[in-house]
Amino acid sequence: MTATILNIPAVEDRTSSLPLRLMLAPPDTAPALIDGAWWPRSRDLTAELPALTAVLDPLWGRITRVTVNPTFWPVIPRRVPVAGHVVHVGWFKAEQDPHKLLLLSYTSGRWDLLVIPPETSPATAARLMATATDPSRCLTASGLIQEAEFFRTAAENDWDSNRETVWDSEGGHEARRVNSSPAARAVSAHAMEPTEGM
């Protein structure tokens, strides 16, 4: 029997060939509740943070600490190895918005990102990113998610209503009522009977 031992480097390259889904507020805008929006591909911080810090480190200074609310993150690692350093991860249940990721850099400060749930549709995610980075924005991360859910539900209801209107305009409900009534079935059945004398 043989055993295989893998020599795994201390910092694994977990970067994906897929582009990072991140939008940041313009740098010259006044401070706001949210500094940008991030749409991760999963709820795995160990897999997602390296790509995020690879983009943010040159822009904001080395990210050294991240905090999350554990509501939407099933596993919260204490440390995540990223290119060239380790990011310490902490969590706050009551104190931190569940839809927000807080990033800290010892040299440059703090930034708050809206975390768009990975399962969000591309259209909703695009709206959330645009709203989160709008200079006139004033909603919290959870407020942005609730607003997006409201608009998504309203759009679905409008679509259902429009579909019903089209169905009705094409005789949908009336046609179903006419064809399903006993008199209509009798007329249809009678019309299909061969006539006498043929």
Side-chain angles (χ1 to χ4, degrees):
M1 186 173 206
T2 60
T4 304
I5 299 172
L6 299 174
N7 187 8
I8 300 173
V11 176
E12 294 179 24
D13 182 16
R14 295 180 184 262
T15 57
S16 169
S17 61
L18 298 171
L20 185 67
R21 301 183 300 188
L22 173 71
M23 185 177 280
L24 302 175
D28 56 347
T29 58
L33 296 174
I34 301 293
D35 298 301
W38 176 46
W39 185 23
R41 298 180 192 283
S42 73
R43 294 192 184 276
D44 180 355
L45 284 170
T46 305
E48 298 291 339
L49 283 179
L52 181 64
T53 59
V55 169
L56 295 179
D57 279 356
L59 297 173
W60 289 348
R62 180 177 279 193
I63 304 299
T64 54
R65 183 170 298 279
V66 170
T67 65
V68 297
N69 182 310
T71 303
F72 296 113
W73 300 100
V75 176
I76 300 174
R78 292 183 58 88
R79 293 178 186 85
V80 175
V82 299
H85 66 287
V86 173
V87 173
H88 297 271
V89 183
W91 60 271
F92 297 99
K93 183 123 178 138
E95 298 88 354
Q96 186 166 334
D97 187 318
H99 295 286
K100 185 167 70 172
L101 180 79
L102 181 117
L103 301 117
L104 297 166
S105 168
Y106 286 137
T107 59
S108 302
R110 164 190 164 165
W111 297 271
D112 296 340
L113 294 180
L114 165 68
V115 178
I116 300 170
E119 63 276 4
T120 303
S121 72
T124 300
R127 261 193 318 277
L128 279 165
M129 287 188 162
T131 304
T133 57
D134 181 354
S136 65
R137 66 206 179 278
C138 61
L139 292 174
T140 63
S142 284
L144 290 166
I145 295 290
Q146 289 169 353
E147 181 183 65
E149 181 60 23
F150 171 79
F151 285 128
R152 186 191 63 76
T153 304
E156 283 178 2
N157 290 340
D158 283 349
W159 188 80
D160 286 343
S161 175
N162 288 340
R163 189 172 61 181
E164 283 291 320
T165 302
V166 169
W167 174 256
D168 288 343
S169 71
E170 293 175 352
H173 290 296
E174 293 303 318
R176 189 179 331 150
R177 277 192 216 121
V178 169
N179 290 333
S180 63
S181 70
R185 283 195 300 264
V187 169
S188 298
H190 180 68
M192 287 197 252
E193 292 177 358
T195 57
E196 294 180 3
M198 287 185 114

